[in-house]
Amino acid sequence: MELYQKTAAELSRLLQDKEITAVEVFNSFTERIDEVDPHLKVFITCTLDSALETAAAVDRRRMENEELHPLAGVPVAIKDNFCTEGIKTTCASKMLESYIPPYDAAVVEKLKRIGMPILGKTNMDEFAMGSSTENSAFFVTRNPWDLERVPGGSSGGSAAAVAAGMVPLALGSDTGGSIRQPAALCGITGLRPTYGRVSRYGLIAFASSLDQIGPLALNALDCSLLLEVIAGYDQRDSTSLPHEVPQYSAAAGRELEGVRIGLIEENISANFDPEIKFAVLKMAALLEENGARITEVSLPHTDYGLSAYYLIAPSEAASNLGRYDGVRYGYSADGDNIISLFSRTRGQGFGAEVKRRIMIGTYSLSAGYYDAYYLQAMKVRTLIRRDYEKAFQNFDILVGATTPTPAFKLGEKADDPLKMYLSDVCNITDALAGVPSLSIPAGLHSSGLPMGMQLTAAPLNEGLLFQAAAVLEKCSDSPPQQRTALNLTGRGEL
Amino acid sequence: MEFETVIGLEIHLELQTRSKLFCSCSTAFGREPNTSCCPVCLGLPGSLPVLNRKAVELAIIAALSLQSEIQKESRFDRKNYYYPDLPKAYQISQYDRPLALGGFIEMKNEGVKRKINLERIHIEEDPGKLMHSGESIFDSDYSLVDYNRAGIPLLEIVTKPDLRSGREARLFLEELRCILLYSGSSDCRMEQGSLRCDANISLRPAGSKTLGTRTEVKNMNSFRAVEMALDYEAGRQAAILSAGGSIIQQTCHWDEGDRKAIPLRGKEGSSDYRYFPEPDLLPLILKSDYIETLAASLPELPSQRRIRLMEEYGLDPADAAILTENRSLGDLFEVAAGEYKDYRNLARWVRGDLLYLLKGNDRNPSEVAPSLLIELLTMLDEGEINRPVAKDLLANIVKNGTNPRELVQQKGLGRIADREKLQPVVEKVLAENKDAVDSIKQGRKKAFAFLVGKVMAATAGRADPEKVQKLLRELIN
Ligand SMILES: [Zn+2]
């Protein structure tokens, strides 16, 4: 087995035992990148030079018996909406095509501090708006399981990178499913943590009240290890939570005896792919076999979630993206006066989906419409939050499908925004409620594509999600590597 | 027709913090352009605001000192608009849940007691500063922007339409400045832009209760400008209304040079700012005991001090007003009054000769040692020196901090009361002014004063005037 096929936990063990060096790990993954990235198109920017320096430094320090973090020397990729000092950060937009931030995002600081080599910045939907990574201004990223299909989005680059063994770990951001949906479509594990669990400082904002950073990895244990690194209070983010960070990785291995699990009726809906419904029910049965108690539960306001989300997120986005006006940084068009500078810069610098959302958001916040749209959507958000509060009085974990269908074809939904929006239908309400939500692999569809199951817990109960996921992984007959695209042959160029 | 002028003010003042409202950049005035900036106040992608605790504290202190009711929960909102001086394309402000509601200032206008009510008080950030190569952003070859100001904490105070003239608006602002200087929340320097004022003004027939169509006047850069601009605009509106015309709702810029309010083109005021709650900040929740602690630590306010100066020291209203208006002068008075008990005399000296000398020498009352002042007045009271000498000594205290007693000893400035010393001088004056002596003998009193003056002049003002008079009478008779 190649090093690039190993999980982060396995690499960490081998590195700590000095069986392998960080540079060897680096070499294995970069060779893999050279091999598959031309087909998948994951990276907007590769930062291999600085990553190699980091790996070499880790090896040096380990030789000197310095105490290192378990993930020191384990490579990681980050979505291109995290600010990186001195390194281009584009949000996959023409607007920021050559923008170089003067500072590191809080999570990037943390990765650097413990010596995780950052291999590069991954492709995404422009400003994280989209569900297929097709909205990147630069190129589309392909799904490693089928090169004719999308990897999901908006963190499609990060998900594809992990699924194809280009990195063992990646960071994404999730505003309304942007970690969990691509994780499901690429057959890996991805967590949207509790809102406020991870500092947003340096994450280029899409919708501030919904944006949250999370890990993508081959399994729950790897996700928990990376979450331990990035979680925690940051005084630079006023919405970050002051609660202490537990040892999430210790949750794997705990029993499920007595854990109350609610099967969300709305997330195994009749119009979902029947195989996905079946896969979720099968996994629920596995949880029951392991001591959990399963009951169906309804989140009655789920139907309004998508509409509320597509008012709140664009409203905040319209405001957050106002700063891209061509005056200080980023793309700047020629203008005869200040008005034409503004309108040409924004007209030329943003792609169609971003403009669509800016227009929706601007409309929804305008005088005379505010009450009917933004305010109404905020009221729905409160109702949805209450749905969850009520459900968590009786349940510890809520489960359902991550997506209604497996990965769709490139271009299939690109011209139909409403259809595209529906692919996030299961991911939106927990984002609106701010609760943690994990997508894990749920086996393969008859089409050969991966499916995902989503597990949701009450705020700050990420540990419980890892615990349930680990139990399910143990029941599965194949190691995580086999459930990914790593060993696939005869499928496209891979 | 007789009109009543109705004016409401919108005042922005800079809160006296060391760092900006949402980042740790310095607020110091007069730095090189764009040197006091960071990712947060430049609105760089990914940056987030963190509320400055001190700014909130100063805002609460200011609101409390204006009798405004602090809201237990207020909220920050985004005011969205595009302009090159606004780095995020939104200003973080407070919209429908401001920091404080209500409040008032009581003041006197030409002897009439007036209570001016406040609508609301809220916190917001300042945008940057634009400088155009031409008249405006539209007819300039280029414009320069300085973001040092971006993110400076501001307090916005909105009054109810309770003011009735330009003069009253000016008096209100002077009283407001006095109160805020006392509270220590702002230095209120209009010339540095730390206090700015816009006004809404309309006219209505005297006695009417409904409001007329208003215009907004901006760019008034001094209290005097506020008075002139509003009187000008009231006059303009009166002329239109008297001629049967109607007022167009518009915004005018006060042109200090031409002394005219010039209407701005375009439809300003119709902008839609698309306010919504700022998702990057939590609601501002203030605990009662925190507000109470600040209320308890509130310094004495000018209105309270004015009354106390009259009651405690028996000062007349005019003296009390001057000693209140100039806070540090009042402080000097009160420290000196701790030891010097002829309060009214002390007040007369402090607000008279001393204030005159301070202004003339560009000195601050806090630079004067109260002990020297006490020493001087005591020497005067005990007859050790004469009044003209005392004035010279006071000038020396102000300019050089000289101890008056030492100077008197050094230069021999003490009062001359010895008969042996005075008699030769008096005899000499009498001998040189025989005409005056004759006049006195014929009953002309003026001539006597003339002779006293001569003796004083001959002793450089040091002779004891009573002794001089006594001696003169003796020797003439
Ligand atoms: Zn700053």
Side-chain angles (χ1 to χ4, degrees):
Chain A
M1 195 195 263
E2 302 290 332
L3 288 177
Y4 74 78
Q5 292 170 307
K6 295 193 178 299
T7 65
E10 288 163 352
L11 293 170
S12 161
R13 188 74 267 146
L14 292 168
L15 283 164
Q16 290 179 80
D17 293 346
K18 298 185 184 168
E19 304 254 340
I20 55 171
T21 66
V23 170
E24 283 165 10
V25 174
F26 169 87
N27 286 334
S28 178
F29 282 100
T30 49
E31 274 165 31
R32 178 68 176 170
I33 290 172
D34 287 344
E35 181 191 344
V36 299
D37 198 47
H39 309 293
L40 293 176
K41 307 282 276 173
V42 157
F43 286 102
I44 292 176
T45 306
C46 273
T47 51
L48 300 184
D49 290 347
S50 62
L52 179 58
E53 272 174 39
T54 306
V58 164
D59 287 339
R60 217 164 33 241
R61 289 165 65 193
R62 206 184 302 279
M63 291 247 293
E64 286 157 12
N65 289 320
E66 232 181 90
E67 186 138 357
L68 294 172
H69 189 278
L71 289 182
V74 177
V76 62
I78 58 181
K79 191 176 178 177
D80 206 19
N81 57 351
F82 296 102
C83 287
T84 41
E85 186 182 344
I87 291 162
K88 227 172 53 169
T89 299
T90 68
C91 276
S93 178
K94 183 176 176 186
M95 190 62 90
L96 293 177
E97 191 166 5
S98 49
Y99 174 65
I100 296 176
Y103 73 103
D104 278 330
V107 289
V108 174
E109 281 178 357
K110 289 184 164 184
L111 301 179
K112 283 186 173 175
R113 198 174 304 142
I114 65 164
M116 290 181 77
I118 300 171
L119 298 191
K121 314 276 306 271
T122 59
N123 199 18
M124 55 187 279
D125 287 297
E126 182 179 4
F127 283 100
M129 297 176 192
S131 313
S132 66
T133 314
E134 290 166 294
N135 293 335
S136 167
F138 308 133
F139 45 80
V140 297
T141 294
R142 287 158 193 271
N143 190 317
W145 294 77
D146 181 346
L147 296 183
E148 295 311 308
R149 292 182 186 267
V150 302
S154 65
S155 309
S158 285
V162 172
M166 298 157 90
V167 277
L169 296 170
L171 286 183
S173 65
D174 187 315
T175 305
S178 281
I179 288 175
R180 293 159 290 154
Q181 186 257 21
L185 300 194
C186 289
I188 60 166
T189 302
L191 173 78
R192 173 196 168 88
T194 308
Y195 183 77
R197 182 72 287 196
V198 180
S199 168
R200 292 183 293 118
Y201 191 78
L203 169 69
I204 298 184
F206 160 14
S208 313
S209 74
L210 294 154
D211 294 344
Q212 186 55 203
I213 295 166
L216 295 108
L218 290 174
N219 61 16
L221 177 61
D222 281 7
C223 273
S224 68
L225 288 169
L226 188 51
L227 183 62
E228 282 172 13
V229 175
I230 60 173
Y233 176 69
D234 179 4
Q235 60 162 14
R236 294 169 296 180
D237 175 0
S238 307
T239 62
S240 89
L241 297 171
H243 306 73
E244 201 141 314
V245 179
Q247 202 191 342
Y248 294 114
S249 51
R254 278 188 207 132
E255 300 292 316
L256 280 186
E257 206 59 54
V259 171
R260 301 163 301 168
I261 291 181
L263 192 57
I264 306 169
E265 287 170 26
E266 291 79 5
N267 284 5
I268 44 165
S269 155
N271 48 19
F272 283 19
D273 185 299
E275 288 189 44
I276 290 188
K277 271 177 67 177
F278 182 70
V280 170
L281 292 173
K282 213 174 85 182
M283 292 188 67
L286 275 177
L287 290 169
E288 203 163 23
E289 276 171 32
N290 281 277
R293 282 180 298 161
I294 314 269
T295 326
E296 286 211 354
V297 61
S298 170
L299 300 172
H301 295 94
T302 297
D303 280 354
Y304 308 107
L306 202 69
S307 315
Y309 175 85
Y310 277 98
L311 287 169
I312 295 168
S315 297
E316 292 182 14
S319 174
N320 282 329
L321 271 60
R323 69 191 68 196
Y324 306 108
D325 57 10
V327 173
R328 289 160 298 273
Y329 48 80
Y331 181 76
S332 186
D334 281 331
D336 311 325
N337 57 45
I338 191 68
I339 304 286
S340 69
L341 168 72
F342 284 169
S343 56
R344 285 181 201 167
T345 295
R346 295 170 65 76
Q348 295 164 18
F350 288 135
E353 182 60 29
V354 171
K355 280 190 249 183
R356 179 180 296 120
R357 297 204 196 186
I358 289 174
M359 284 190 280
I360 293 172
T362 304
Y363 191 86
S364 139
L365 289 175
S366 294
Y369 298 99
Y370 182 88
D371 288 357
Y373 294 108
Y374 181 80
L375 198 63
Q376 194 67 13
M378 290 303 274
K379 287 179 186 164
V380 171
R381 186 175 190 173
T382 304
L383 293 175
I384 286 172
R385 201 172 274 152
R386 284 200 198 128
D387 277 357
Y388 278 90
E389 282 164 9
K390 244 172 89 184
F392 287 125
Q393 286 170 7
N394 300 315
F395 298 98
D396 303 305
I397 301 175
L398 305 176
V399 301
T402 310
T403 60
T405 65
F408 41 94
K409 288 228 158 86
L410 287 164
E412 187 182 326
K413 299 184 181 178
D415 298 324
D416 189 344
L418 284 182
K419 237 179 175 176
M420 185 73 90
Y421 296 171
L422 276 171
S423 73
D424 290 335
V425 68
C426 305
N427 318 126
I428 279 189
T429 49
D430 25 24
L432 287 169
V435 295
S437 182
L438 180 76
S439 178
I440 59 171
L444 292 185
H445 193 263
S446 57
S447 62
L449 295 166
M451 302 180 288
M453 175 164 100
Q454 185 169 265
L455 300 89
T456 302
L460 296 169
N461 277 351
E462 284 85 354
L464 203 55
L465 299 177
F466 294 133
Q467 186 181 334
V471 167
L472 288 170
E473 284 168 12
K474 238 196 302 182
C475 299
S476 166
D477 36 14
S478 55
Q481 286 84 354
Q482 248 100 73
R483 288 188 276 112
T484 72
L486 301 186
N487 289 346
L488 290 184
T489 50
R491 193 173 279 285
E493 279 89 341
L494 291 183
Chain B
M1 201 200 284
E2 185 128 357
F3 293 109
E4 182 180 46
T5 307
V6 178
I7 297 169
L9 299 179
E10 233 182 73
I11 301 121
H12 287 94
L13 30 96
E14 193 177 318
L15 291 166
Q16 229 169 327
T17 55
R18 292 224 299 271
S19 57
K20 293 186 181 181
L21 186 52
F22 298 115
C23 63
S24 52
C25 291
S26 165
T27 54
F29 181 76
R31 291 197 171 199
E32 281 288 296
N34 297 310
T35 57
S36 196
C37 304
C38 73
V40 175
C41 56
L42 287 175
L44 293 190
S47 64
L48 294 170
V50 178
L51 183 59
N52 182 335
R53 195 189 164 89
K54 185 73 187 173
V56 175
E57 189 180 305
L58 292 177
I60 294 173
I61 288 171
L64 286 171
S65 66
L66 296 169
Q67 323 296 331
S68 191
E69 193 185 335
I70 308 295
Q71 304 300 296
K72 295 273 160 56
E73 183 173 342
S74 68
R75 201 175 63 193
F76 288 92
D77 298 276
R78 291 186 182 177
K79 179 182 182 180
N80 296 285
Y81 63 96
Y82 294 94
Y83 215 57
D85 63 3
L86 196 63
K88 301 186 291 295
Y90 56 82
Q91 178 192 29
I92 303 179
S93 179
Q94 294 189 295
Y95 182 51
D96 51 1
R97 305 282 301 274
L99 176 77
L101 289 171
F104 58 86
I105 286 181
E106 280 177 326
M107 56 182 223
K108 272 191 180 156
N109 185 1
E110 284 166 0
V112 182
K113 227 178 169 184
R114 299 277 292 131
K115 182 177 177 183
I116 309 301
N117 292 291
L118 306 180
E119 183 75 45
R120 54 179 281 161
I121 297 177
H122 75 249
I123 304 171
E124 64 184 30
E125 59 175 340
D126 211 358
K129 194 176 157 193
L130 276 168
M131 279 150 285
H132 308 300
S133 67
E135 282 286 304
S136 80
I137 196 160
F138 289 105
D139 46 26
S140 293
D141 294 331
Y142 64 88
S143 298
L144 299 172
V145 60
D146 176 6
Y147 292 110
N148 283 355
R149 280 207 73 83
I152 298 252
L154 299 180
L155 197 68
E156 180 173 326
I157 299 169
V158 182
T159 74
K160 296 214 163 162
D162 285 356
L163 296 157
R164 294 289 170 264
S165 69
R167 182 184 156 76
E168 192 159 277
R170 177 184 177 161
L171 289 173
F172 171 82
L173 288 171
E174 283 170 355
E175 185 65 20
L176 177 73
R177 177 171 65 180
C178 189
I179 292 170
L180 294 173
L181 284 173
Y182 263 76
S183 75
S185 49
S186 173
D187 62 8
C188 301
R189 281 188 215 161
M190 220 164 178
E191 68 280 9
Q192 289 186 4
S194 70
L195 190 154
R196 282 168 275 165
C197 172
D198 300 333
N200 284 309
I201 175 167
S202 63
L203 261 51
R204 63 184 172 196
S208 164
K209 286 283 169 224
T210 52
L211 290 169
T213 306
R214 65 189 162 84
T215 58
E216 195 181 355
V217 187
K218 294 186 164 200
N219 195 42
M220 300 174 289
N221 293 321
S222 65
F223 290 171
R224 210 175 57 100
V226 170
E227 179 172 356
M228 282 198 299
L230 293 177
D231 285 344
Y232 170 91
E233 180 59 15
R236 189 187 70 89
Q237 290 189 12
I240 292 173
L241 293 172
S242 300
S246 52
I247 306 298
I248 307 161
Q249 190 170 336
Q250 62 187 2
T251 302
C252 308
H253 251 230
W254 175 245
D255 186 320
E256 186 81 48
D258 287 353
R259 302 204 170 168
K260 264 184 179 170
I262 301 159
L264 285 179
R265 279 164 300 165
K267 35 176 193 166
E268 229 189 272
S270 63
S271 338
D272 179 356
Y273 292 118
R274 291 174 283 115
Y275 281 100
F276 76 106
E278 163 60 286
D280 287 328
L281 292 169
L282 304 175
L284 180 58
I285 295 170
L286 300 166
K287 293 207 179 104
S288 308
D289 51 355
Y290 174 62
I291 300 171
E292 279 158 24
T293 312
L294 290 180
S297 69
L298 212 61
E300 182 184 43
L301 295 174
S303 54
Q304 298 165 323
R305 182 179 222 184
R306 217 171 284 136
I307 293 167
R308 191 172 56 76
L309 287 177
M310 290 192 277
E311 286 175 352
E312 202 173 317
Y313 301 103
L315 303 187
D316 59 44
D319 285 357
I322 290 170
L323 292 178
T324 303
E325 195 184 303
N326 188 328
R327 186 182 185 178
S328 48
L329 195 69
D331 291 346
L332 176 64
F333 167 81
E334 294 212 52
V335 175
E339 285 187 43
Y340 183 84
K341 299 299 173 191
D342 186 351
Y343 303 134
R344 295 171 65 111
N345 185 44
L346 177 63
R348 268 193 302 276
W349 274 90
V350 169
R351 66 97 126 182
D353 289 284
L354 179 62
L355 184 57
Y356 176 80
L357 283 163
L358 288 167
K359 281 184 177 162
N361 291 288
D362 201 20
R363 292 287 159 88
N364 242 315
S366 58
E367 295 172 60
V368 175
S371 58
L372 300 184
L373 184 63
I374 296 165
E375 184 92 70
L376 177 75
L377 295 184
T378 311
M379 285 164 71
L380 183 63
D381 290 348
E382 288 175 358
E384 294 174 46
I385 50 171
N386 280 344
R387 222 180 145 75
V389 172
K391 289 191 181 193
D392 285 346
L393 292 171
L394 187 63
N396 264 299
I397 291 174
V398 170
K399 283 184 218 165
N400 313 314
T402 320
N403 184 310
R405 191 172 293 283
E406 281 169 16
L407 198 63
V408 164
Q409 278 163 5
Q410 222 174 67
K411 301 224 167 150
L413 299 173
R415 180 178 268 186
I416 305 166
D418 292 350
R419 198 187 168 95
E420 299 86 78
K421 280 189 190 155
L422 283 179
Q423 191 156 347
V425 183
V426 173
E427 281 168 353
K428 190 166 175 247
V429 166
L430 289 175
E432 286 168 1
N433 295 282
K434 292 229 155 48
D435 293 353
V437 177
D438 290 344
S439 299
I440 290 164
K441 288 183 173 158
Q442 285 157 23
R444 303 253 290 275
K445 291 204 168 122
K446 246 186 173 174
F448 188 75
F450 170 77
L451 288 178
V452 174
K454 282 286 173 192
V455 176
M456 293 309 285
T459 58
R462 293 169 52 207
D464 181 336
E466 273 178 38
K467 295 263 164 64
V468 171
Q469 288 181 31
K470 209 171 145 201
L471 257 175
L472 274 171
R473 270 189 215 103
E474 257 181 56
L475 294 173
I476 291 168
N477 296 333

